[in-house]
Every structure is written in C-alpha cells, then in structure tokens.
Amino acid sequence: MPDTNLPSRMTGHGEVIDTQAPIGDEVKTTTCYMCACRCGIKVHLKDGRVRYIEGNPDHPVNRGVLCGKGSAGIMTQYAPARLRAPLKRVGPRGSGEFAEISWAEAMEIATGWLGHVRRTDPKRLAFFTGRDQSQSLTGFWAAQFGTPNFAAHGGFCSVNMAAGGLYTIGGSFWEFGEPDWELAKYFVMFGVAEDHDSNPIKIGLGKLKARGAKFVSVNPVRTGYSAIADEWVGIRPGTDGLFIMAIMHELLRTDRVDLDFLVRYTNAAWLVVRNPGGADDGLFARDADGKPLAWDRIAGAPVDAATAEMQPAIVGDYTLPDGRKAVPVFQLMAERYLGAEYAPEAVAERCGIDAARIRRLANEIADIAFKETITLDVPWTDALGRRHETMVGRPIAFHAMRGISAHSNGFHTCRALHLLQMLLGAVDTPGSWRYKSPFPRPIPPGPGPAGKTTAPNTPIAGNLLAFPHGPDDLLVDDNGTPLRIDHAFSWEAPLGLHGMMHTVIGNAGAEDPYSIDTLFMFMANMAWNSAMNPLEIIRILTEQKADGEYRIPHVIYADAYFSETVPYADLILPDTTYLERWDAISLLDRPIGNAHGPGDSIRQPVIKPDRDVRPFQDVLIELGARLGLPAFTKEDGTPRFKDYPDYIVNHQRMPGIGPLAGWRGEDGSKKGVGEPNKDQLQRYIENGCFWKHHLTPEQSYFKQANRAYLDEAKAMGLMGAANQIVMQIWSEPLQKFRLAAQGHGAKQPPAHLRKRVETYCDPLPIWYAPLEQAGHDTTPYPLSAVTQRPMAMYHSWGSMNAWLRQIHGANRLYMARSTATAQGIAQDDWVWVESRNGRVKGQVTLMEGVNPDTVWTWNAIGKRSGAWQLSEDSPESAKGFLLNHVISEWLPAQEGFRGANADPVTGQAAWYDLRVSVTRCAPEEIAETAPHPSTLKSPPNMPAVPLIIREPGK
C-alpha cells in the first residue's frame, strides 16, 4: 500500500473501531420536542445522563428517521442556558436583576396575583402560550379560571391554513392531513417551511422520487424541499391565490373537473338564494327541517340535497315553491373563476409566472387526475347507503403551509387551494391528499367560542378557541367592541380560531378594549422573535404610568431557557426540558394520527432534573388547585390531581374521553372511549410511548362519506355523529357575516368595519393585494421580504444548541444575483433593509434560487446579545439579525382605525406581506448588525458562558 502519511487508524492497519459497542447502560423511549413533528425517539443513557438519541423505528410518525434537530437534543438538554430556579424581579424591568426564590414563595406570589384577578375581574388575566403541545390543558385551565383571554402560537403561524381547511373540507394540511405518498403521481407543494413535519415529508418525498412521480414546488425561495423538486415555480409572495385561481379557470374553461365527486361530496349542487338586498341573499335554500336543497332535474323540483337517488342540477336559475330565486353553488363558482380577471394572462405579471407556464401546469395536473386514474378493488359503502365496488382516485396531491398562510390574503388563498382539490376530485381519494384521523370534522366543527360573559370566581363553560357559525357567535358587546384583549372572534377577525397572540401586548399597552392586570406566558418569546416589531413590545412591557406602576402590572413567564423575554418578567417559573417531564400529545389537541388511523403519544421523563425546576403542567395543575378552580379541586377543596401524570390518566373532558385514547377502561381493553385505566401510562411506555389504531382497507379513503369509517369514528369519540361531512365550496358562515355588514340581523358590525367585513367575508375565495401593501405607497419599497425557518432550527428552540449553532450561527440576507448586481450590491456586502416601520442591518449572500423581486433570511437566528447564555459577541448577535424589527404589528393608519397587520378574516399575523428596500451600507456603517440593543444580564447563578460546549463525558 502506498505511503499516504495518513494516521494508521485511517488505513485499516491500526486501531479497529467497534461500531457495535454499547453506547450506554439503559435505553428509554419518548417523543421528541425539538420541533412540532413529534417523532418517536430512543434515548440512550449512561450513568443517568443522555449519551445518544436515535429515531424509534416502530414509531408511526418517523419510522426511525431522525433529523439533525432530533439528534442534537442532547445538546439542548445540557445547554448552559437552562434556567436553574424560580426568579423574582428585584430591579427595573429589563435590567435582568433577579433574586432566586423557593418554589413555595414563587407559588405564593403567583397565587396572590392570579387570585386577586379571579376574585375581581377574571378577564384581566391574559394567558398566552407559545408552540407548546399541551393546549388542551392550558385552554381548559384558562376557561376554569374564567378568562376568555387565552390563545397559543397558531395566530401568528398558520391559522389561515387551519381555518381555511376546517371551514372548507373539514381538515387541513400538515397536522390535519397528508399526501398519499404511496400512490400520488403528481405532487404540488406550496410554501412549506423546512422545519415543519420534516421527517414525514422527507420520507414521503423519497417515496415519490423513487416511483418517478413529479414534484412541483411553488415557493419564492428554492431551498430545502424545493431544492429537490422536479420543477420550481418561483412565485411572488402573496400571489399564490391568483395562481391557484388561474389553474381553476383553466380547468373550468376546458371542462376538466370531476362533476361526480363535486355532486356527491361537496355542496356544489346546493341551492343558494338570490335575493339582492334581502336578509336571505346568499344563504342556502332549506326545507322545513333545515336541510339544504338541491334541484332534482328529473322531478323538476327542489329536494333534500342528501337524497341518494337523484340527478341534481349544477347550473341554471330556479324558482323555489315560495317564489324565491336560487342557483346551484357550482354555477356561482363557475361564474367567478371563469371571469377574465382569473385567466392566466391576467395574473401572470403579478405572479411572476408566464401565462403559458400556468396553462401547461394546469394541463399536466388535469392529465394526471383524469388520464391516470387509480382504481383500488376495495368495496365500500357511503353515508347515503350507496355501495361502491371500487375506490377511484385522482393521483394528484397537494401540500401547503405557512408560506401561503402568513399573508393578509392567506385565508382565501388556503380556501382556494381546497376548491382546486375538490374540482379535481382529489380529497381523500387514492393518490390524492388524505385526512389524518381524527379528521375530517363537521364544517364548522362544534359550537362557537365561549367567553361572552365573565364573572368573578366563575369558570367559562365551553371552549375558548372554537368555531363561529355566524355573527351571533362573535365575542363582542352590544356596540361591537371586542370582548377579548387580542380582538379574536370580533368583527376585526371573525374566525380568529387560534387567537391573536401577536396583538395581546400592543392592545394591553393601549388598554384596547381594557387594561389587564397579569400577563401569563409560557414558551412565548414575545420580546424578540415571537413578536412583530419587538422593540415596541419591549417599550410596552417597560412602560410606566404616572403613578409609577407598570402599564401591565404583573408579568409571569414560564420557560426552560434564558430567552430574550426573561428580563421583562416579574416572576420566572423555570420549566423542565422535554426529556425531564411527562407530556400528552393528545387527540384533544394535535395528535400523531395519520391517514391510516388515529394515534396519540406521550413523553416520559427519561432523566431527572439537576436544577430546581418543575414541569409547567405540574405548576399549572397546582395553581389550579390553589386558586380553587372547580375542575382541579375536589368537593372538600383539596387538589383533585396529584400532578400532570395523574391528570393525564384520570381527567375526563366528557364521560369516557380523556387526554389519551389508548388502553382505556379498567383493564385497558377499550380505545377512544372508556373509563380511566390506572396502568394507562405504563401501557404506553411498554409500546414505545405511543398508541396507534389502524383503519381497515374499507375505511381508508373517502372518510368524509365512508359509512364504515364514520360509524367507527363516532364509536371512538372522534365525532359526535356519523353523518356525511359535505365539503363547502360556498361558505354560509362567511355569507352570514357579510349579510350582517349589509345591515341584516340583530348583531351588526360598527360603521367603520362594515365595508371591511362585507368585502373579506366572501363565501367564495377571492384574491386581493395584501393589506399592508395596499395601505401605503410601496414605491420606495420594491422588494418583498420573507423569513424562512431552517431545517436545523425550529423557531428559536435551537438558539442555545452547540451542535445546531454550527450549522446556523448567523444569518444572511439572501438576494437574487441579478437584482443585487443591478443595485451594485456584491457578495458579503453589508446592507440596510428598510421598510415603513424602520430598518435593520445585515450581510448579503447572493443566490439564483429566489424570486428576483424577493429577499429572504432565516428566522430566529439573530439573537439579542447576552441571551441564551451565549457570549456577548456571539455570531448570532454580532452578525445575525432579526427581520422582525422592520415588520409592523399594525397596518398603515386607516381613518382612525388601528387595524392589526393581519388577515381580516382570521387575524393571522401577516409576516410575509413585508415590502422593503435594500441599500449598501456606507463604509463607516459596516460593523455589527443593527438594531443592536444592549447586552442582557444573565439571571443569578447561571453557569459561566463556556468557550466550548461538549456533550457530557467528553
């Protein structure tokens, strides 16, 4: 062998590495929490410390695959940024001056503040959580406390996606549905962040590529998933809805739609009353029992739309027996999208996509759907009793996420994509997009939101985050003023299903509609990357009134790490890491079900904390007992639950239904519904910390109308009735809001919001320019600017992780090379990014794979100096930057109305509507990024900032 001067162990003649040597002395299963994917993991331990984390090959989510985030969980566990003990502020807010206190004192303080609020005016508590996975507990606790002011992360992430789907097809993308990875022949992905659902998507894309299916990515940026797409469509941000509607135009124009699917499974044949100016205009024609009507062409009369044996008309004008005029939904849809404004030529320039290319893509989609139909020899019976000998599918699948959701026109864009699916007959059919159990749900699911009235020491009955059916369900007073501090479920955001976390602090600062006493946050980094315009949030949190009291008197914050928000709280309740606690990934919240059946999972503590910290769920349950919340105390006033594991096993939201669906009943033999089982958690542990129910082949598709599936779903408590779920092309709830804006009904919007509600609560999807861009002169700001979540980070959760920091230690502003060259900007130049809200400084990287009118950066990489126990001059703070600083939380002034920079239907934060200019920095301006707030002071007794962080034992 030639002398290569390599170390002997590299030549094979020296040390032999034993790749089978035991890593540790114990292995425990649990569920990953390095993102929201909820993969199953195996944690290898040695001497009680984590040594290695791998994927669990038996787990239904990831089947053994684990991403870099999951593997790096060991460095999150041992990060020096972990909070060590409860803290009480002893200096001014923002000073970082804290004293360590005992848990007894911390709980006394929290109980005192919260108890006063509950005894006097419960709505003065605002309880908002970040991307936690126990919202069924936190929301229930808030209702028991008696405050309507609860919400979580979804309002500034993806509520447009959820609301658009739940009000249209009874499900949605990602957590509520997935592509048929095994059978799809053509896959179109819109704006999916690289960190979302990454392992299942990577597994699925591998299957698609292996089978030769075409993958089309519609995204302004070509990274991550888009980088392996067969075709990348670099669309302009905020124009996806136009692009989708142009494809619908082409399908309708060329008569390439699945009429049988539309008639059987959607409301395409339902009759809509046409009575311009009338109180019933745009509502469905119904019989005496309230059932929607369709026009039977054979009988020449309206009949119950759920009549199995009829031939409904889908076009035409008809006269009802009472003399009113009505037309089928399909005709209204066709009239709109066949309009010239949706032709490819009309939308091409705004979308940045050639008209010929739009037509080609529409033709390819139709060819796959109608020329390459999949037929499975699986007999099934539908909800109306019709027997089908086969399952016929259109093998065209779609997937979408935050990229099309985080716009002020995102709700209608999401709805439009679902209409496109319905036109193709590509909802829960072989090869298309499929519901994840426990979806589909009725449209809309359940009653409206609770919280219309509040009273001292009185729980609120019902769900705080629920589903309005019309104006009567809104949370507004007689004058139309919002009853919630965030204005969700008001005329400003009628379908604010996930709340509006991004407006809470701003509204509290303005006392709009009232002041709050206590802001209680969990895992919500609202003083930095979880805020639009974070310096304004910091200003409000530190603002003092004339009497010296803070504008928000009390701030309680629970987190496991020293984030940028910690210095702005008065009381810190330190949480455990995900490897140190119990969790329930519940069917009551966002479970791990997939298209093959429902499922849920748990986290179990695999190691013991080495700090004076407690699981937040335990803290919340103890606070519930201390405050005397009825569901958390027994009749004699003693605590009902010992801790969170006790709650998981014994709490029942309704008889037989609790946080976990597996191994219910005294002997563990029941699923979905059954009495509490004292051994339930042990059964989960023995099964790898998850439970999975597998659907039969007969139940696997057409779940919205599949008798076998619907019956079992009802028996398992997944839905209240086994009725067919009819997908909604025309949305009657939206029309009811529009009618109210036109002056009908007892509850109407205030005058300054009437035009807004009438315009945006359209029962058919519409497209309009993003509100921020329409509200001011964008000429000085020619570029769209968006943030992406990198595959190796999730929100700011990886900020303290030594391994992941090596991948993304600092972020750049990415520009199209052609755009930069035209402006005289070169690789590595420092630039100012300026918007109507301010400017931020960063460094440029040039690339080809980005829409030329768009710049972008990674989200949450830029950190405030001193936070996360990073060195003061860490690359995250010296070179990293946060685009949030130039995003306004409010729209440009609108005749005195201070509207949130959000979707007008759902209230979703419109992060991606941002327009900016980019200019080179002057030589004397090139230094650290800006704005660069002062370095944060570490809490007491935190470990020194290490020069090198190693895994334990190294």
Side-chain angles (χ1 to χ4, degrees):
M1 179 178 178
D3 181 9
T4 60
N5 294 319
L6 292 172
S8 59
R9 69 186 183 91
M10 296 184 182
T11 66
H13 295 286
E15 174 189 1
V16 177
I17 299 174
D18 183 1
T19 59
Q20 301 299 317
I23 299 168
D25 50 34
E26 188 178 10
V27 180
K28 292 184 178 180
T29 58
T30 188
T31 302
C32 187
Y33 203 3
M34 293 296 288
C35 77
C37 204
R38 295 152 298 187
C39 295
I41 55 174
K42 290 185 173 183
V43 182
H44 295 255
L45 305 167
K46 187 172 185 178
D47 299 327
R49 293 177 68 83
V50 181
R51 295 295 292 118
Y52 177 63
I53 300 174
E54 65 175 330
N56 182 354
D58 299 321
H59 200 274
V61 170
N62 58 314
R63 296 188 283 282
V65 174
L66 198 62
C67 69
K69 298 189 298 293
S71 298
I74 183 174
M75 302 308 285
T76 291
Q77 174 61 38
Y78 295 111
R82 293 177 301 165
L83 296 170
R84 306 193 63 78
L87 300 171
K88 178 175 66 174
R89 179 177 59 81
V90 295
R93 275 199 199 150
S95 67
E97 297 175 16
F98 289 95
E100 284 193 357
I101 58 176
S102 67
W103 272 102
E105 183 179 356
M107 296 300 279
E108 283 296 325
I109 293 172
T111 303
W113 293 347
L114 295 169
H116 171 74
V117 173
R118 187 165 186 264
R119 289 190 302 271
T120 55
D121 189 354
K123 71 176 180 294
R124 306 285 179 175
L125 168 66
F127 181 31
F128 286 76
T129 72
R131 195 61 174 87
D132 76 284
Q133 294 171 10
S134 54
Q135 291 169 31
S136 64
L137 167 63
T138 52
F140 181 67
W141 189 94
Q144 284 289 301
F145 184 92
T147 180
N149 293 318
F150 164 81
H153 167 87
F156 63 93
C157 180
S158 59
V159 68
N160 275 336
M161 189 64 63
L166 291 172
Y167 275 76
T168 307
I169 59 173
S172 186
F173 298 109
W174 187 31
E175 291 174 308
F176 307 158
E178 63 186 344
D180 190 340
W181 299 113
E182 285 77 19
L183 297 177
K185 298 181 180 180
Y186 197 104
F187 176 54
V188 186
M189 175 184 282
F190 287 82
V192 177
E194 298 172 17
D195 66 329
H196 278 84
D197 204 26
S198 59
N199 289 331
I201 287 178
K202 286 181 286 190
I203 294 169
L205 289 176
K207 292 179 179 179
L208 289 177
K209 301 290 278 187
R211 292 190 290 102
K214 183 170 182 178
F215 170 24
V216 177
S217 175
V218 183
N219 196 316
V221 180
R222 188 170 197 179
T223 61
Y225 309 132
S226 299
I228 66 166
D230 299 293
E231 181 170 353
W232 171 59
V233 181
I235 197 167
R236 285 197 178 103
T239 65
D240 305 80
L242 272 180
F243 172 66
I244 292 165
M245 292 172 193
I247 293 177
M248 292 167 58
H249 174 96
E250 284 299 290
L251 295 177
L252 289 164
R253 184 184 67 83
T254 58
D255 193 17
R256 304 185 80 184
V257 298
D258 191 336
L259 294 179
D260 287 341
F261 184 93
L262 290 168
V263 166
R264 286 179 174 172
Y265 308 120
T266 81
N267 66 357
W270 291 12
L271 293 173
V272 176
V273 175
R274 272 194 165 172
N275 182 22
D280 57 353
D281 184 47
L283 300 181
F284 294 129
R286 299 178 184 271
D287 65 15
D289 296 323
K291 296 178 180 178
L293 298 173
W295 192 268
D296 188 338
R297 290 185 293 130
I298 304 302
V303 299
D304 178 356
T307 303
E309 301 302 328
M310 70 160 174
Q311 295 186 30
I314 59 171
V315 295
D317 294 280
Y318 301 97
T319 302
L320 301 173
D322 60 9
R324 293 180 299 166
K325 303 296 183 181
V327 296
V329 165
F330 182 88
Q331 176 166 319
L332 296 173
M333 175 176 61
E335 286 174 354
R336 171 162 295 179
Y337 302 116
L338 281 172
E341 66 269 31
Y342 296 114
E345 291 82 4
V347 309
E349 183 176 354
R350 280 174 291 178
C351 295
I353 307 170
D354 291 341
R357 191 180 188 192
I358 296 173
R359 281 202 189 85
R360 174 179 59 78
L361 289 167
N363 188 61
E364 286 181 4
I365 289 169
D367 279 350
I368 294 294
F370 300 113
K371 293 182 179 179
E372 299 194 30
T373 300
I374 290 177
T375 301
L376 302 182
D377 292 324
V378 179
W380 65 288
T381 300
D382 67 30
L384 300 185
R386 294 173 293 209
R387 182 69 173 171
H388 306 264
E389 296 306 317
T390 60
M391 290 181 166
V392 178
R394 312 294 183 190
I396 168 72
F398 297 89
H399 189 60
M401 195 49 197
R402 188 169 178 262
I404 69 170
S405 180
H407 292 282
S408 55
N409 58 18
F411 171 74
H412 282 288
T413 294
C414 296
R415 283 207 74 221
L417 184 51
H418 293 309
L419 260 65
L420 174 58
Q421 291 175 275
M422 287 187 271
L423 283 176
L424 294 165
V427 179
D428 213 57
T429 65
S432 71
W433 174 90
R434 304 176 68 187
Y435 295 107
K436 285 184 180 180
S437 296
F439 295 89
R441 294 276 172 80
I443 306 173
K452 292 183 178 180
T453 60
T454 61
N457 293 319
T458 304
I460 294 173
N463 293 325
L464 300 178
L465 302 178
F467 304 91
H469 293 236
D472 290 342
D473 289 330
L474 293 183
L475 301 185
V476 294
D477 66 15
D478 292 340
N479 297 317
T481 302
L483 296 177
R484 287 176 53 115
I485 189 68
D486 61 353
H487 296 194
F489 303 116
S490 75
W491 293 109
E492 297 172 37
L495 302 187
L497 308 185
H498 291 172
M500 299 171 66
M501 186 172 172
H502 45 291
T503 66
V504 172
I505 295 174
N507 286 340
E511 299 185 358
D512 176 15
Y514 44 77
S515 63
I516 63 171
D517 177 273
T518 300
L519 175 64
F520 190 3
M521 297 182 292
F522 172 48
M523 286 181 63
N525 195 13
M526 294 301 294
W528 199 248
N529 64 273
S530 291
M532 305 162 91
N533 197 3
L535 295 184
E536 172 65 6
I537 296 298
I538 290 171
R539 184 196 67 77
I540 295 170
L541 290 175
T542 56
E543 181 183 14
Q544 293 175 290
K545 297 183 288 187
D547 60 3
E549 186 179 66
Y550 285 107
R551 179 68 58 187
I552 301 174
H554 304 115
V555 178
I556 305 173
Y557 186 48
D559 205 330
Y561 301 96
F562 170 35
S563 74
E564 287 89 348
T565 299
V566 166
Y568 298 97
D570 306 309
L571 179 65
I572 303 297
L573 305 176
D575 191 18
T576 56
T577 71
Y578 73 99
L579 297 177
E580 298 169 335
R581 69 161 179 257
W582 294 93
D583 271 326
I585 296 89
S586 169
L587 283 170
L588 300 178
D589 196 348
R590 290 175 166 175
I592 60 164
N594 59 27
H596 304 288
D600 56 20
S601 59
I602 65 168
R603 292 189 184 92
Q604 64 161 326
V606 298
I607 55 174
K608 295 180 179 180
D610 57 359
R611 310 160 320 285
D612 190 15
V613 298
R614 294 184 182 179
F616 178 69
Q617 293 89 341
D618 282 4
V619 171
L620 204 60
I621 286 169
E622 182 179 337
L623 282 173
R626 284 171 170 261
L627 294 167
L629 307 187
F632 294 90
T633 53
K634 297 178 182 177
E635 289 73 13
D636 61 1
T638 59
R640 182 175 297 276
F641 306 106
K642 179 177 62 176
D643 51 20
Y644 189 45
D646 187 20
Y647 174 92
I648 292 173
V649 171
N650 292 301
H651 170 69
Q652 295 186 73
R653 192 58 54 88
M654 57 185 69
I657 295 179
L660 295 175
W663 296 287
R664 299 197 65 82
E666 293 184 3
D667 61 355
S669 62
K670 298 179 180 179
K671 59 188 177 186
V673 180
E675 306 77 18
N677 169 20
K678 62 181 177 61
D679 297 321
Q680 187 180 40
L681 291 178
Q682 184 57 37
R683 296 293 296 274
Y684 271 81
I685 292 171
E686 292 168 357
N687 196 58
C689 289
F690 68 91
W691 166 82
K692 185 75 173 70
H693 172 69
H694 295 277
L695 301 177
T696 66
E698 181 187 8
Q699 299 169 324
S700 294
Y701 293 96
F702 299 95
K703 298 185 191 74
Q704 75 278 3
N706 186 314
R707 172 55 57 206
Y709 173 81
L710 293 170
D711 285 345
E712 184 172 52
K714 181 179 183 298
M716 291 180 62
L718 305 183
M719 58 180 63
N723 300 325
Q724 177 176 342
I725 296 166
V726 180
M727 290 177 270
Q728 302 289 294
I729 297 170
W730 180 274
S731 176
E732 190 174 60
L734 288 173
Q735 178 63 13
K736 290 178 179 178
F737 289 119
R738 190 163 68 167
L739 287 171
Q742 293 169 350
H744 300 289
K747 186 173 285 190
Q748 299 176 17
H752 70 282
L753 293 175
R754 286 183 182 269
K755 185 63 177 176
R756 171 187 169 106
V757 174
E758 181 179 11
T759 299
Y760 300 118
C761 289
D762 196 301
L764 284 174
I766 57 174
W767 187 86
Y768 48 90
L771 299 185
E772 185 190 36
Q773 298 173 20
H776 73 110
D777 181 11
T778 60
T779 305
Y781 311 107
L783 300 172
S784 292
V786 298
T787 58
Q788 285 204 116
R789 304 215 183 276
M791 197 172 286
M793 295 279 188
Y794 187 74
H795 296 254
S796 61
W797 293 6
S799 299
M800 80 307 288
N801 190 294
W803 289 353
L804 299 181
R805 289 182 63 211
Q806 295 176 63
I807 303 173
H808 294 288
N811 57 317
R812 296 289 190 98
L813 183 77
Y814 294 87
M815 293 185 71
R817 192 177 304 275
S818 58
T819 303
T821 301
Q823 294 186 221
I825 295 173
Q827 174 70 23
D828 298 329
D829 275 353
W830 284 81
V831 296
W832 287 107
V833 182
E834 188 168 0
S835 76
R836 69 177 178 90
N837 195 56
R839 63 179 188 167
V840 65
K841 183 168 52 175
Q843 205 170 6
V844 161
T845 287
L846 307 183
M847 64 181 293
E848 273 68 41
V850 59
N851 177 281
D853 301 316
T854 303
V855 296
W856 69 277
T857 189
W858 296 121
N859 180 67
I861 302 301
K863 309 308 299 178
R864 184 166 174 180
S865 176
W868 302 95
Q869 210 62 2
L870 305 179
S871 61
E872 293 184 15
D873 61 349
S874 68
E876 286 86 351
S877 60
K879 292 189 175 182
F881 68 95
L882 200 67
L883 202 60
N884 305 43
H885 289 300
V886 296
I887 304 175
S888 176
E889 65 271 58
W890 309 111
L891 291 170
Q894 297 178 328
E895 299 178 0
F897 169 58
R898 189 186 70 156
N901 185 9
D903 189 287
V905 180
T906 67
Q908 156 133 19
W911 297 85
Y912 286 178
D913 288 353
L914 179 64
R915 292 286 291 270
V916 301
S917 65
V918 178
T919 55
R920 291 181 65 192
C921 291
E924 65 273 14
E925 295 174 321
I926 298 173
E928 62 190 14
T929 53
H932 196 83
S934 60
T935 299
L936 295 175
K937 180 181 178 180
S938 296
N941 300 320
M942 295 287 282
V945 177
L947 294 177
I948 299 176
I949 302 176
R950 290 189 172 95
E951 58 182 300
K954 293 288 187 177

